[in-house]
């Protein structure tokens, strides 16, 4: 019997997976291969941001620093803009690789803030005594559901609630 990951272990595993995909993209050659890797990055990030925003962040509300949580939402929205650009674009286009690189840097910063030891979002959430096992179960179930939907229907245009006057196509 395999042990189910708690919420933070699951989210950290997502972080490591995406970091690995960014490294693979940097080393990739050929437009077809770059496109495949970029699409996988976009799928992983779309699912990860959705489960964090729908399940994990609401559970943290009022239990972690408000500024840190607000910043997390804004960073997600910035990433979603780049994800949409990458999804709509093609490796043949100018700025495609640059957009993937900037997305990588944004995610690296975001992950650092979530995983910072003492004052990071995950550390604060653990100190708040949230039920990480129950949250892990919810995140896992929703992640599996979204993966099936997105594989069938494609990654939907994300909502960016922290951005004013900007609508993604």
């Amino acid at each position: 019997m395999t042990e189910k990951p708690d919420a933070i272990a699951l989210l950290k595993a997502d972080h490591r997976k995406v970091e690995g995909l960014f490294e693979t993209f940097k080393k990739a050659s050929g437009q077809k291969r770059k496109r495949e890797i970029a699409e996988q990055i976009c799928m992983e990030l779309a699912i990860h941001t959705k489960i964090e925003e729908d399940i994990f962040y609401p559970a943290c509300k009022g239990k972690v620093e408000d500024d840190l949580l607000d910043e997390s939402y804004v960073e997600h929205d910035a990433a979603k803009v780049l994800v949409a650009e990458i999804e709509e674009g093609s490796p043949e286009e100018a700025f495609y690789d640059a957009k993937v690189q900037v997305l990588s840097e944004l995610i690296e910063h975001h992950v650092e803030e979530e995983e910072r030891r003492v004052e990071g979002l995950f550390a604060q959430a653990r100190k708040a005594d949230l039920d990480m096992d129950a949250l892990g179960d919810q995140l896992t179930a929703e992640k599996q559901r979204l993966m099936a939907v997105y594989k069938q229907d494609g990654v939907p245009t994300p909502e960016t609630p922290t951005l004013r006057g900007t609508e993604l196509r």
Side-chain angles (χ1 to χ4, degrees), residues 1 9 22 43 49 92 95 100 143 149 166:
M1 183 169 138
F22 280 122
M43 170 84 75
T49 58
E92 299 87 31
F95 304 113
V100 175
K143 184 175 176 177
V149 170
T166 305

Side-chain angles (χ1 to χ4, degrees), residues 5-59:
D6 74 6
I8 291 173
L10 182 137
L11 296 172
K12 283 183 174 183
D14 284 356
H15 292 169
R16 302 297 83 80
K17 183 173 187 176
V18 171
E19 288 168 350
L21 288 168
F22 280 122
E23 283 304 312
T24 302
F25 182 89
K26 286 179 191 173
K27 296 173 187 168
S29 60
Q31 295 173 344
K32 183 176 187 267
R33 181 71 181 130
K34 283 187 168 193
R35 180 71 185 163
E36 290 169 353
I37 299 164
E39 285 176 353
Q40 191 175 359
I41 289 168
C42 291
M43 170 84 75
E44 294 293 333
L45 289 175
I47 292 169
H48 181 82
T49 58
K50 185 90 170 114
I51 65 173
E52 273 192 329
E53 290 175 10
D54 289 354
I55 299 168
F56 190 72
Y57 291 171

Side-chain angles (χ1 to χ4, degrees), residues 48-81:
H48 181 82
T49 58
K50 185 90 170 114
I51 65 173
E52 273 192 329
E53 290 175 10
D54 289 354
I55 299 168
F56 190 72
Y57 291 171
C60 292
K61 185 79 175 154
K63 296 173 174 45
V64 302
E65 290 175 24
D66 287 341
D67 289 348
L68 190 57
L69 201 53
D70 289 349
E71 199 173 313
S72 293
Y73 280 107
V74 174
E75 288 171 349
H76 275 195
D77 282 356
K80 290 174 197 175
V81 170

Side-chain angles (χ1 to χ4, degrees), residues 76-78 80-81 157-164 166-168:
H76 275 195
D77 282 356
K80 290 174 197 175
V81 170
T157 301
E159 294 178 15
T160 52
T162 70
L163 303 178
R164 289 184 314 204
T166 305
E167 188 174 316
L168 298 179

